[in-house]
Amino acid sequence: MGKTKNNKFKRPTFSPDGLSATPVKQTVEESEDEDSPVAELLDKLQSPSADVREYACASISRVVQQSQTIPGFLQRDAVRKIGPLLLDRSLAVRETAAGALRNLSACGNPEVCEDMVRQDALTPLSALLRECCAGFDVSPSNTVKGQKTVEDVANEAVNLLWNLCESSSTAVSVFNKAGLLDVLLHCLQRHPQNMELAISAAHCLHTVTEENTELVRSVNAAVFGVLENILSSTHTSMEYTLLRTLAAGSLWNLKSSLSSAQQSQTLTALATTLSHSLSLDAGELIPELWRAESARLSKETTSAAESDHTDEQPAGHEAEEMEEDVRDEKINGKKTNGKMSKAKNDISDLLPRDRLELREAKALLSAQQTSLEIIVNMCCSDEPSDDEWEEMSSSDESEMCADGMSDTNSSLFSPLCLSAELHTTLLNHNIPQQVLKKAEFPSAAAREICSKDPWKNLLKKMHRVQCRALTCLHNILSSMDTESLGGASGLQDVAQHLSSLVFSSAEALKDEEFLEAVTSALRSLLQIMATKNISQCMTPLQLMSFCEAATSCELVSVRVNALAILGITGSSLAKEKNTEETLQLIGNALLNVAMKDSNLVVCGEALDALFDVFADGDEAEKAGKNINLLSSLKALQPGFRAKLRKEGRGKYSPDQLCVLDNIRINLKRFISYLEGLQRK
């Protein structure tokens, strides 16, 4: 079997997934009506009354959470009309205007964000951010509860900037030219006074520093000083853990600006930060935080309890959870078809500022998810076309496909393997074992708590941490040598662990994100074990049950991984005695997919696995005859060739076509090989 591309988490570039680009330019019937709610709200933005302008912005912020309303606003130049209010005389108007644009960017798709950038949203936003930073130290200290502050406005503005830069490469280019790095650093340094603002700035910085060569060239010692100062903080709160983790991610993105000696010191600091984040046991800490919240709430006065935690929040907060869903969908490549998974209008979905323990729990899980994503990138080459690699058949890829480019600017980075120093540092900080621990299902106690309002949103975050850990494990297995992972016994332990995950929950086998992560990890592990002749722990029946579930998954990458796993296992079994029946099961499963799957990449992987399983050995030869392998391959050969000619160039990438054409040639050769065996 050939190699597979290590997964990498990166800022998503523009794609048409989600809300169609067409509706943005379409004339919606409702928007043609001058008396429509959209027109009425936009007209109120011009009111001489600050209260009316604030009301209009807050109303727009709520309405655009229904994504079908967004085209009507964009068609009426809502961005150009809201933009000037970012510099309104009223702080409250500024904040709600930023919140409205933030929700527009969060609830739309990348095309909406591109449209907002084209409508010059970044010009007033940049001016607002600079004014906010200038006003941090002169902001009145005796602010009345509920009164808007400069830092509240800055937080909304930074979140808007983060959304735009995450979805628009044009926004990142404007960020670089406008010199907004200094603004983010200023907001980062407010962490002693305003942690919420600092974390928002840290998220934004982590995004804009990724694969941003222009920005990397412009950073100086002051930038590293701010980040290293955060890394050296000793505060033990979960929010500080998240802040340090995000700073570590930005440092990793900027590593090529450092000298070799500085890189070595920074690497140790990064590993220490990531190790600390992963060492925290969410299964224990979440119940502790929940009990602490219960105790605190029971002591509060009746008047405080009657407020029911519904103090007015900035408009942008209503899309906070929605933003996270969108970001994860972009990372995972999932389509949203213009709709969010859930409309976030219910008060239970918000995260009020007085739910301190809930905020801490959320920060903990965010820190661990981010830590795992950073480690994934540490254990990944900079080769292009991640999506194409994942969906390509693995047959002889190294011979057929163009070589990827590695990062030549960093002495700590080499393609598909770790540098000796990075390798040693991760091992010394116990990173592989911590990653494996995070791949486990959350504790029953934590799951029970997170099934209750308002903690229920954490269940999805715990699931994401587990899936990121499995993806991380895949990259670690592909990047580290066997002895570093504990040798044969260590790999068998990992195999047993993954096996227990797969078969401990029937519901898990129905979850696409989990299946994609666990099949990638299991594929890497079994390939290594087969190469080292290490016995596997999964029984043939377990394996067939698992692969049957995986091959029925809609995700191409999951089906490809499952077929590769069957091929790896079958080729190992073909070398052993008394495996004929199992090889027949594997052969029939692979033939069924090769003949019936609608995707040529999947069919090609099934054929490639068949070549591996039945290439040699007495057991394989007997099993092949019993399942009529030769006649079956002859029967499907014309259809495979015809489908490749008909669908190939319009549906598949050049790299995929290269692989598929090689499989076509190998199919012809393999049929000749089987005919030769039959004539003996």
Side-chain angles (χ1 to χ4, degrees), residues 345-607:
N345 293 325
D346 192 286
I347 195 68
S348 65
D349 286 337
L350 309 184
L351 200 56
R353 287 171 177 166
D354 59 348
R355 302 305 291 254
L356 304 177
E357 297 82 6
L358 180 54
R359 297 187 74 87
E360 283 282 276
K362 179 187 172 186
L364 165 62
L365 295 173
S366 295
Q368 293 187 338
Q369 177 181 330
T370 303
S371 296
L372 291 163
E373 290 170 3
I374 294 168
I375 297 167
V376 164
N377 290 351
M378 285 180 166
C379 302
C380 178
S381 75
D382 275 354
E383 293 176 347
S385 303
D386 293 40
D387 294 334
E388 291 181 2
W389 269 96
E390 286 182 3
E391 296 187 358
M392 280 169 49
S393 170
S394 63
S395 176
D396 298 323
E397 292 167 10
S398 58
E399 296 178 9
M400 296 176 292
C401 302
D403 292 334
M405 298 299 292
S406 63
D407 186 347
T408 57
N409 294 325
S410 174
S411 62
L412 294 176
F413 211 65
S414 58
L416 293 179
C417 61
L418 302 185
S419 71
E421 187 171 4
L422 177 55
H423 175 214
T424 302
T425 302
L426 293 181
L427 288 174
N428 288 344
H429 287 79
N430 207 32
I431 296 292
Q433 288 74 20
Q434 291 175 333
V435 168
L436 186 60
K437 183 71 174 174
K438 294 304 168 200
E440 295 177 356
F441 287 106
S443 71
R447 290 200 304 270
E448 182 182 357
I449 287 169
C450 294
S451 65
K452 305 173 183 177
D453 286 330
W455 290 65
K456 63 181 180 181
N457 286 320
L458 295 186
L459 197 59
K460 184 183 293 184
K461 294 188 72 65
M462 287 194 290
H463 173 72
R464 286 175 187 155
V465 169
Q466 181 191 28
C467 290
R468 297 295 189 270
L470 287 166
T471 301
C472 194
L473 180 61
H474 161 73
N475 282 22
I476 286 175
L477 288 167
S478 302
S479 305
M480 290 189 173
D481 61 80
T482 304
E483 292 308 312
S484 299
L485 298 169
S489 62
L491 291 178
Q492 285 176 326
D493 288 343
V494 176
Q496 185 64 52
H497 186 83
L498 289 178
S499 176
S500 67
L501 287 179
V502 168
F503 299 108
S504 62
S505 170
E507 290 301 313
L509 294 180
K510 300 176 184 177
D511 184 273
E512 289 185 350
E513 186 179 3
F514 173 80
L515 274 176
E516 183 168 30
V518 78
T519 54
S520 295
L522 196 55
R523 177 180 181 175
S524 293
L525 177 62
L526 294 180
Q527 181 65 68
I528 293 169
M529 295 176 73
T531 303
K532 302 292 183 181
N533 293 318
I534 300 170
S535 60
Q536 301 171 13
C537 65
M538 294 174 69
T539 68
L541 289 178
Q542 284 180 320
L543 190 69
M544 294 303 298
S545 173
F546 166 59
C547 288
E548 183 180 356
T551 52
S552 64
C553 179
E554 290 187 8
L555 286 182
V556 168
S557 57
V558 172
R559 303 206 298 277
V560 166
N561 283 337
L563 295 167
I565 289 169
L566 285 176
I568 294 166
T569 304
S571 60
S572 297
L573 291 174
K575 302 172 186 176
E576 301 176 8
K577 300 291 185 182
N578 303 317
T579 58
E580 179 183 340
E581 290 186 6
T582 304
L583 291 175
Q584 288 177 205
L585 287 173
I586 292 175
N588 279 324
L590 293 172
L591 278 172
N592 185 58
V593 174
M595 290 186 290
K596 296 181 179 179
D597 200 287
S598 61
N599 188 288
L600 271 178
V601 170
V602 178
C603 294
E605 183 67 41
L607 289 171

